[in-house]
Amino acid sequence: MSLGARSATSSSLREQLVPADSRAVRHTQKFRLADGGLLDRASTLTFRFDGRTLYGYHGDTLASALLANGVRLVGRSFKYHRPRGILAAGVEEPNALVEVRSGARREPNTRATTIELYDGLEVVSQNRWPSLRFDAMAVNSVASPLLQAGFYYKTFMWPSSFWEKIYEPLIRRAAGLGRAAREADPDEYEKVNAFCDVLVVGSGASGLAAALTAARAGARVILCEDDYHLGGRCLSERSFLDGNSAASWASSVEAELVSNPDVRVLRRTSVFGAYDGGLYAAVERLRDHTQDCDGGPRQRLWRINAKRSVLASGGFERPIVFGNNDLPGIMLAGAVRTYINRFAVVPGRRAVLFTNNDDAYRTALDLSTAGARVEAIVDPRPRISAHCKSLAHRSGARLIEGVVDRACGWWEVKSVEIRAADGTIHRLPCDLVAISGGWNPTIHLSSHLGGRPVWSEQHAAFLPGVLPPGMGVVGAAAGGFVTSECLSSGAKAGADAAETCGFTPRTLELPRTDRESTASAPLWRVVSSRGKAFVDFQNDVTVKDVELAEREGFRKVEHLKRYTTLGMATDQGKTSNVNGLAVLSEITAKAIPEIGGTTFRPPFSPVALGPFAGHHRGKNYRPTRLSPAHKWAEGEGATFVEAGLWLRAQYYPRAGEQDWTATVRREVMTVRATVGVCDVSTLGKIDVQGPDAGRFLDRVYCNTFSTLPVGKARYGLMLREDGFVMDDGTTSRLSGHHYLVTTTTANAGKVMQHLEFCCQCLWPDLDVQATSVTDHWAQFAVAGPKARLVIRKIVDPEYDVSKTALPYLAATEITIGGGVPARLFRISFSGELAFELAIPARFGEALGRLIVDAGSEFGITPYGSEALAAMRIEKGHVAGGELNGQTTARDLGLGKMMSTKKDYIGRVMAERPALLDPNRPELVGLKPEQPDQRLHAGAHLIPRGGKATPDNDQGYTSSAVYSPTLGHWIALGLLVQGPKRHGELLCTYDPLRGLETLVRVCAPTFVDPTGDRLRA
Amino acid sequence: MRIRCPYCGERGSEEFTCHGDVSVRRPDINGAGAAERFVDYVYFRDNPAGVHYEYWYHGAGCRAWLKVCRDTRTHLVSSVVSVWDSSVNCEQSIQTEAIR
């Protein structure tokens, strides 16, 4: 039956396959060894690659399962669309990038070598069209002279108008990687904090030794492993510790660690960043290895606070640069051993090993043990140790002193041309070339805080430089590649870390290791090579590109990187950086340290955005603050609007109202005619108490508060130290040492911080305390000609609320509802006779109902922030549009508030000549000359008939609203010489909306300019 | 980066807001040259490479302003005291080094 055509879900697919199961499973996995590997062979997994159904086992990665099925062509390269296979077996993989899952969960550029195989995994190859095998864009390879280093800059220079419309879309289609999902991410993510004494990064031999030593000493240990199994290269090598396999030693250590309650072992967790103060960031993949992403967080972001850390991140093997070294079937020698030993997959039947070091020789033996034929070991070194010779002999391989000149083949490697030291050329057929140019310590985290890696001639690699405080580096990451050194350095670092944290470690008895040699002689590239010799596989950067960059003057590593893109993209040059540097060093005949080093920055490997957001998405992006009277407003049918964190009642629609503007008109007209009630609880409230409270407020406000009588409120204006207005609000004096400051809703937090700074840092001698009481009080404005009648019904009868007892700007403590303590202020934002009534927050909802009940006989209406805004503009009160951080008190017509008798924040700077310039725009009112014309905030003010040029820009409109009271649109604005130009005709120019409107300048107070209503 | 608040204990730096050099004093408004002094105070701040004291506000904690001694090159926090604490001399402890 045709499996490929089926679109059934994997589980049903499996059910249908049950009868043929074992046969099909064995049949497709032609490269799977009969036994061995860390696999659960009882658990067969079905997956699809480009529509083909394939099988693997639990324990496989996608890469190992593909190789087991004989799939070697996995992707197309970035620029030239060359066929690419699998180079590595871990996170450093530059070639085998695939798209995983589909729909909203589609994930591009995922490394096949790190995807844990699960049943039903769906994978497609990327950057090819129409198919992986026949990629139309492979023509790029022929056109490669066009696409070499810097080709964007050279080829697409002219005409510049072509960039956006033609060149960029063209380049993006031709060169690229996978496609991101287009829908919102359906998965859940979370963030957690963790604290420990010792963080161990990596669980190879050195990491396990470190964790074990620290844990046995009693330290709280967190051990993070990127992989789903602990053990690192212990799982990849056929090596022995105390006579048992290294993998079994690792699992025995794991068992001990897991059973220790002070140890947290995090598998599938990549520590991707080191930050100041011992903070490490890690991402744990909780459900990436399952078909089912529901039922819990997909990934978890860990913020690990560690007193000490041990970096045991191992190393990455280096490729050697030679012609066609990117063909599928060319693989790092260490990866070949991983596939054989851990996954029981033999990646080829006829192999050639090309190495410059002793370590890779065991690959030959592993291959021949796995049944592959090793045609030759090619090694440029003239002297080969007896140990290596014996390994070559045992694996049946010919030992050739020389280099691989180039690989041949179209879809995959078919043969290699070997140039022996004696000059002879050998052409050997093969389907696998195992390469090793030595190892680079994985030192990324060690340099995240700026410590520059140091070049070591002895290791021919960069070693960690100045380490982040508290970090120790061990094992291969520190350049100690042999197992014995990994174990001893790990144990020592674990002991040191535990000791610094106050524990007494005991010496760890280290297991006996095999004999290992890592002797090597640097070989970066084969100079005699023909064909494209790739330095950076992921970015298609060849030796020619590096040579070209050098010729054109890009001789420092940072320049080389930007010009050729070497070391960029998802792998960040894990397999290419050092080779690139070395090739440039050879070309320029300069030592590697002279060319520069690589700067590593977080993240170590790509991290999805989901875990950074965690639960902070959508509605949970930030907290929502609700007024204590929120439920009351809901009950009144309010529509809410976000104002900072707050939800404020915007307006209260009634049946029959056509739209919200009708609602707002009714609310305003009701307030102006009878009475309305508005929840103003969101305004900032700050209690200022102490013997020096008055003096303190005198210094933070430009006007004076020490002279404010008890029982009175006063409007205050607060400047910044640079002389501009910071915030405004009324402040009431409740007793001799007790003031209540109010702030705008938006600036409440900022003003609080400012007041704390002033009283704690600037004037610690003042005996005063400030505390935020915003959330302690619910506050309502009751406004309109009938407001007093409503208030009279609510306030307990013993309190006099008459005009004489409670005149405009009175502030007093009263009780309502038979003894509930409350505060009553005669302040008004609407311009009407108004009271603000404050009550402890828990009574907010009840007070709202009480006011509406009391006011119903007068036709009271609740009104929202829209009506409030309309009325304040009618009254000419400044708010957000005018308090925009660029206006001074004088600009707003409030210059007279600025005291000349005292010091206050902003006093000196407010007198700067530029702020006294008579041509600064000042506050005016604006009316459209045609009454039916609409005004908008943000329009420029230009002379009537004048051109819209910067020279003619005389100011701007700051707030605009339809005035229900006047029956037409009105606006506030800031206009050069504004107060002197009342009556003048101007033009508002709004290029955003394409509007020009004739307006007449007027006083900013449109309603009740004499204040009679206010004082009624 | 972690800051040991004298009131709340060690907390992550995201709970705090930095407000610059402690050694800078708000000038006197009286006397000649007040404008220049304030321009200097508001706009011209040193950017030392090295250890210096700066104000940090524990806004997501106890709301105390603190004097934090931090090395601007390494973010190493060597001492944290309340602004009331006059035992540290914030002016003398500055060790600057030429910025490379």
Side-chain angles (χ1 to χ4, degrees):
Chain A
M1 71 186 175
S2 160
L3 296 172
R6 237 168 244 285
S7 62
T9 64
S10 61
S11 56
S12 63
L13 192 78
R14 272 199 71 195
E15 281 157 25
Q16 290 160 22
L17 284 169
V18 168
D21 194 29
S22 56
R23 256 203 334 269
V25 167
R26 273 201 301 275
H27 180 69
T28 67
Q29 299 188 59
K30 286 178 181 156
F31 291 81
R32 184 78 74 185
L33 299 172
D35 51 24
L38 296 169
L39 302 166
D40 176 5
R41 292 186 191 239
S43 162
T44 305
L45 307 177
T46 312
F47 69 103
R48 293 164 84 95
F49 178 70
D50 277 348
R52 274 174 72 197
T53 299
L54 301 169
Y55 303 93
Y57 295 120
H58 190 84
D60 263 325
T61 62
L62 172 64
S64 68
L66 286 171
L67 290 169
N69 284 278
V71 177
R72 293 150 67 91
L73 172 62
V74 179
R76 287 281 180 165
S77 75
F78 181 68
K79 275 198 308 199
Y80 303 128
H81 292 251
R82 284 169 67 101
R84 289 286 165 84
I86 294 162
L87 179 76
V91 69
E92 72 273 33
E93 175 62 42
N95 286 336
L97 303 184
V98 291
E99 279 178 14
V100 182
R101 304 177 197 262
S102 57
R105 291 199 169 96
R106 188 171 67 201
E107 224 176 301
N109 309 334
T110 314
R111 295 165 301 270
T113 50
T114 62
I115 301 165
E116 197 173 339
L117 197 69
Y118 60 81
D119 203 31
L121 176 68
E122 264 181 84
V123 182
V124 292
S125 57
Q126 54 190 35
N127 199 30
R128 84 287 185 273
W129 183 87
S131 76
L132 189 53
R133 204 159 171 86
F134 301 101
D135 179 359
M137 282 302 197
V139 70
N140 279 4
S141 207
V142 182
S144 59
L146 272 178
L147 299 179
Q148 62 201 4
F151 84 97
Y152 300 119
Y153 316 120
K154 292 172 185 164
T155 314
F156 300 107
M157 276 174 64
W158 182 90
S160 60
S161 61
F162 271 35
W163 242 117
E164 262 182 51
K165 290 211 169 75
I166 295 169
Y167 294 149
E168 198 187 314
L170 199 79
I171 293 166
R172 285 197 187 282
R173 201 171 320 135
L177 298 170
R179 305 161 301 156
R182 291 189 165 268
E183 293 116 273
D185 188 337
D187 293 325
E188 206 184 297
Y189 299 86
E190 68 180 22
K191 296 194 264 196
V192 289
N193 284 284
F195 298 83
C196 65
D197 296 311
V198 184
L199 167 69
V200 180
V201 182
S203 72
S206 54
L208 287 176
L212 194 61
T213 314
R216 283 186 180 170
R220 290 175 307 156
V221 175
I222 295 180
L223 172 62
C224 294
E225 171 55 57
D226 203 8
D227 205 324
Y228 46 96
H229 284 312
L230 300 194
R233 288 220 54 92
C234 289
L235 312 178
S236 295
E237 305 292 1
R238 240 164 16 105
S239 58
F240 295 89
L241 294 172
D242 278 345
N244 296 315
S245 78
S248 69
W249 174 80
S251 67
S252 71
V253 174
E254 178 179 1
E256 181 177 338
L257 291 173
V258 167
S259 68
N260 184 332
D262 288 329
V263 177
R264 190 195 287 275
V265 176
L266 296 172
R267 295 174 193 83
R268 303 183 178 94
T269 302
S270 160
V271 178
F272 63 79
Y275 302 90
D276 296 310
L279 180 69
Y280 294 84
V283 63
E284 183 182 12
R285 295 171 293 277
L286 295 160
R287 306 188 85 81
D288 283 23
H289 61 291
T290 62
Q291 163 83 307
D292 173 27
C293 292
D294 302 320
R298 169 92 178 262
Q299 295 180 352
R300 181 182 285 149
L301 185 74
W302 287 87
R303 292 164 45 109
I304 301 170
N305 294 280
K307 289 184 189 153
R308 298 277 141 183
S309 67
V310 177
L311 183 64
S313 44
F316 292 135
E317 200 166 22
R318 290 192 292 244
I320 300 174
V321 181
F322 59 91
N324 294 335
N325 60 339
D326 64 329
L327 278 175
I330 299 178
M331 191 180 277
L332 293 170
V336 171
R337 300 199 296 279
T338 303
Y339 289 116
I340 295 172
N341 297 318
R342 176 172 170 181
F343 298 107
V345 172
V346 55
R349 309 253 191 246
R350 297 180 84 175
V352 169
L353 173 65
F354 180 22
T355 176
N356 68 349
N357 61 77
D358 290 3
D359 176 68
Y361 274 71
R362 26 184 179 167
T363 319
L365 195 56
D366 287 356
L367 276 165
S368 73
T369 310
R373 186 170 152 187
V374 185
E375 296 284 351
I377 299 176
V378 185
D379 191 328
R381 295 176 296 172
R383 292 160 70 124
I384 305 295
S385 72
H387 176 63
C388 287
K389 279 182 180 154
S390 120
L391 282 171
H393 177 73
R394 282 160 64 197
S395 58
R398 249 170 97 185
L399 191 53
I400 302 175
E401 185 193 335
V403 291
V404 172
D405 242 7
R406 63 169 180 154
C408 307
W410 184 251
W411 300 115
E412 55 185 55
V413 64
K414 296 282 188 201
S415 63
V416 286
E417 270 179 26
I418 297 163
R419 185 185 295 268
D422 59 15
T424 53
I425 305 281
H426 307 258
R427 191 171 183 132
L428 292 182
C430 62
D431 61 357
L432 175 70
V433 183
I435 50 172
S436 176
W439 290 75
N440 287 326
T442 306
I443 56 176
H444 300 61
L445 288 172
S446 77
S447 74
H448 278 181
L449 295 189
R452 283 212 162 279
V454 181
W455 180 255
S456 159
E457 280 298 335
Q458 183 207 331
H459 296 84
F462 283 103
L463 297 183
V466 179
L467 294 176
M471 181 185 276
V473 187
V474 297
F481 293 106
V482 294
T483 313
S484 57
E485 214 174 324
C486 289
L487 290 167
S488 60
S489 66
K492 183 174 181 309
D496 288 351
E499 198 166 0
T500 354
C501 295
F503 300 93
T504 316
R506 276 172 302 174
T507 312
L508 187 73
E509 217 171 286
L510 298 172
R512 203 177 59 254
T513 57
D514 296 341
R515 181 183 158 190
E516 287 174 81
S517 163
T518 57
S520 83
L523 170 71
W524 308 104
R525 60 163 176 159
V526 177
V527 181
S528 57
S529 265
R530 287 176 297 137
K532 281 198 172 65
F534 286 87
V535 180
D536 184 331
F537 297 100
Q538 190 161 94
N539 289 293
D540 274 351
V541 178
T542 62
V543 171
K544 275 204 172 68
D545 292 319
V546 178
E547 286 169 346
L548 182 72
E550 192 276 335
R551 280 204 305 277
E552 296 186 347
F554 300 93
R555 287 165 198 151
K556 285 279 177 194
V557 65
E558 297 296 334
H559 298 151
L560 178 72
K561 174 172 179 172
R562 267 85 198 167
Y563 197 56
T564 62
T565 69
L566 189 144
M568 292 191 180
T570 70
D571 71 347
Q572 287 287 298
K574 290 189 175 67
T575 55
S576 65
N577 276 339
V578 174
N579 281 352
L581 269 174
V583 169
L584 187 62
S585 144
E586 283 185 4
I587 293 168
T588 56
K590 279 186 185 162
I592 287 178
E594 282 180 65
I595 290 168
T598 312
T599 313
F600 299 108
R601 297 186 185 89
F604 166 71
S605 58
V607 183
L609 290 178
F612 290 108
H615 287 298
H616 296 260
R617 308 171 58 174
K619 203 70 201 139
N620 297 324
Y621 176 64
R622 52 185 192 179
T624 304
R625 294 180 80 179
L626 299 183
S627 149
H630 184 82
K631 283 214 169 112
W632 164 78
E634 263 180 355
E636 292 289 338
T639 298
F640 293 94
V641 62
E642 283 181 26
L645 299 180
W646 291 99
L647 275 189
R648 289 189 76 177
Q650 195 176 12
Y651 47 88
Y652 296 80
R654 292 280 185 267
E657 283 170 354
Q658 212 164 22
D659 59 11
W660 68 275
T661 58
T663 305
V664 172
R665 269 172 227 182
R666 173 187 51 77
E667 289 175 8
V668 170
M669 295 313 282
T670 311
V671 172
R672 296 260 186 247
T674 54
V675 63
V677 55
C678 182
D679 179 8
V680 292
S681 307
T682 61
L683 268 79
K685 306 177 211 58
I686 299 170
D687 227 36
V688 178
Q689 296 194 34
D692 292 323
R695 284 176 67 198
F696 174 69
L697 293 178
D698 283 351
R699 293 188 191 177
V700 294
Y701 279 106
C702 73
N703 51 327
T704 308
F705 281 92
S706 55
T707 57
L708 181 69
V710 172
K712 283 285 182 190
R714 181 173 286 167
Y715 176 70
L717 200 62
M718 201 179 272
L719 307 190
R720 302 191 306 230
E721 195 67 276
D722 65 0
F724 289 90
V725 174
M726 179 179 183
D727 200 51
D728 71 345
T730 50
T731 291
S732 307
R733 191 168 194 174
L734 298 174
S735 74
H737 293 175
H738 185 186
Y739 289 81
L740 179 69
V741 170
T742 67
T743 73
T744 58
T745 301
N747 285 335
K750 196 166 89 181
V751 171
M752 187 65 219
Q753 176 176 341
H754 176 64
L755 294 191
E756 296 277 21
F757 180 76
C758 292
C759 79
Q760 292 183 38
C761 303
L762 293 185
W763 304 302
D765 50 312
L766 293 184
D767 189 356
V768 61
Q769 291 287 328
T771 192
S772 166
V773 293
T774 304
D775 289 313
H776 303 196
W777 296 88
Q779 194 153 323
F780 291 90
V782 180
K786 301 270 166 74
R788 184 177 287 114
L789 299 173
V790 178
I791 290 296
R792 177 63 276 163
K793 287 175 72 179
I794 293 167
V795 173
D796 285 343
E798 59 267 38
Y799 297 97
D800 186 354
V801 297
S802 70
K803 184 177 171 181
T804 39
L806 212 60
Y808 179 56
L809 292 177
T812 182
E813 290 179 295
I814 47 126
T815 63
I816 61 174
V820 178
R823 292 166 177 172
L824 188 59
F825 310 93
R826 257 210 70 186
I827 52 180
S828 173
F829 200 43
S830 58
E832 294 299 319
L833 162 66
F835 297 82
E836 286 195 14
L837 191 54
I839 194 164
R842 63 186 180 281
F843 300 116
E845 192 187 338
L847 181 59
R849 285 201 303 269
L850 199 65
I851 294 171
V852 170
D853 287 349
S856 60
E857 63 173 296
F858 310 107
I860 196 167
T861 182
Y863 63 98
S865 56
E866 291 293 338
L868 191 71
M871 288 189 280
R872 75 98 187 161
I873 297 171
E874 289 181 339
K875 182 66 186 168
H877 282 151
V878 292
E882 293 75 36
L883 305 177
N884 58 14
Q886 299 174 25
T887 50
T888 67
R890 291 185 194 87
D891 296 346
L892 301 175
L894 302 171
K896 283 191 181 141
M897 290 179 71
M898 298 161 72
S899 170
T900 53
K901 294 179 187 144
K902 55 159 185 141
D903 179 15
Y904 59 85
I905 300 276
R907 168 164 179 174
V908 172
M909 294 295 271
E911 305 300 321
R912 281 185 283 167
L915 300 196
L916 299 174
D917 183 352
N919 279 325
R920 283 186 66 83
E922 292 177 63
L923 189 71
V924 292
L926 299 161
K927 293 177 186 176
E929 197 54 7
Q930 302 287 330
D932 56 341
Q933 278 188 312
R934 181 173 177 172
L935 301 181
H936 293 274
H940 296 270
L941 295 172
I942 56 173
R944 183 187 182 185
K947 277 218 169 90
T949 61
D951 284 346
N952 273 338
D953 197 355
Q954 301 192 341
Y956 56 94
T957 54
S958 50
S959 310
V961 76
Y962 176 81
S963 163
T965 315
L966 302 177
H968 59 77
W969 282 81
I970 56 171
L972 295 177
L974 288 124
L975 174 66
V976 171
Q977 301 270 2
K980 295 179 188 154
R981 297 169 68 176
H982 292 177
E984 196 178 314
L985 274 175
L986 288 176
C987 193
T988 61
Y989 175 67
D990 186 342
L992 209 61
R993 298 182 180 85
L995 296 175
E996 281 186 53
T997 313
L998 207 56
V999 290
R1000 195 172 290 276
V1001 182
C1002 61
T1005 316
F1006 297 90
V1007 169
D1008 189 29
T1010 53
D1012 295 340
R1013 285 158 168 256
L1014 193 68
R1015 294 189 172 78
Chain B
M1 194 169 127
R2 316 244 330 139
I3 294 174
R4 190 176 291 279
C5 171
Y7 303 105
C8 308
E10 193 183 280
R11 301 294 179 93
S13 61
E14 65 279 6
E15 292 187 9
F16 301 80
T17 318
C18 181
H19 200 69
D21 196 344
V22 173
S23 70
V24 177
R25 294 263 178 270
R26 187 170 183 270
D28 193 340
I29 65 159
N30 299 307
E36 286 72 24
R37 287 197 296 276
F38 267 88
V39 166
D40 202 43
Y41 170 66
V42 173
Y43 294 115
F44 297 103
R45 296 296 179 100
D46 289 337
N47 183 19
V51 178
H52 85 145
Y53 274 93
E54 51 197 18
Y55 285 120
W56 284 75
Y57 176 57
H58 197 187
C62 58
R63 300 203 334 261
W65 281 90
L66 307 171
K67 293 192 274 197
V68 173
C69 185
R70 181 178 69 104
D71 190 323
T72 57
R73 297 163 303 181
T74 59
H75 299 312
L76 203 72
V77 174
S78 49
S79 98
V80 185
V81 296
S82 152
V83 285
W84 317 112
D85 191 334
S86 50
S87 65
V88 292
N89 185 333
C90 303
E91 273 103 70
Q92 287 185 352
S93 61
I94 298 177
Q95 310 158 8
T96 50
E97 171 183 283
I99 297 169
R100 281 164 296 190

